Amino acid sequence: ATRTRGKVGFDSSEATRGQRPNGGRLGRVRKCSVKRVELEELGVLVKGTAKQGWHNKGYIFPDGYKATTVFRSSLEIDQLCTHVCTIFSKGKFHPAPTFRVVSADRPD
């Protein structure tokens, strides 16, 4: 991961197309690209018996995580808009995490 002026850029080519040096997978990396994400809230790690679903082999999902990214609009395909990504515990799947992505052009 690289850090540029408060933004974190993930370059999947650094991960050699989603492969670890020992041959294990890092996650669902399918193509080489760079995504810019602005971290708003880091969140906290969930520990104890309620931790089921808060991590997998490749990722840790902290409670309270919030980030924004610019991506293609789902309404106007030729436009870009901001998407807010959050992970929280008091949602539909409690005590497991709830993941929410809200687009600026579709806040409902």
Side-chain angles (χ1 to χ4, degrees):
T2 57
R3 189 160 183 78
T4 309
R5 287 186 256 162
K7 296 186 179 183
V8 178
F10 294 96
D11 185 350
S12 60
S13 64
E14 293 172 2
T16 316
R17 300 185 71 121
Q19 295 293 323
R20 290 184 180 168
N22 65 4
R25 297 235 359 119
L26 288 174
R28 291 192 235 170
V29 178
R30 294 207 170 122
K31 64 180 182 177
C32 296
S33 65
V34 175
K35 302 291 184 205
R36 300 278 179 220
V37 177
E38 186 167 338
L39 182 62
E40 303 285 336
E41 297 287 334
L42 185 58
V44 296
L45 298 179
V46 176
K47 60 183 180 176
T49 58
K51 68 182 181 180
Q52 186 175 3
W54 289 93
H55 63 86
N56 63 24
K57 283 181 152 180
Y59 303 97
I60 298 171
F61 310 113
D63 186 16
Y65 171 86
K66 181 178 178 181
T68 58
T69 188
V70 176
F71 198 73
R72 186 173 293 126
S73 168
S74 60
L75 297 176
E76 298 291 331
I77 204 75
D78 60 337
Q79 300 291 318
L80 296 176
C81 69
T82 302
H83 290 71
V84 178
C85 311
T86 56
I87 304 172
F88 55 97
S89 61
K90 302 295 184 198
K92 180 178 180 180
F93 306 105
H94 181 74
T98 298
F99 298 82
R100 181 185 302 162
V101 178
V102 178
S103 172
D105 62 351
R106 296 182 73 178
D108 51 354

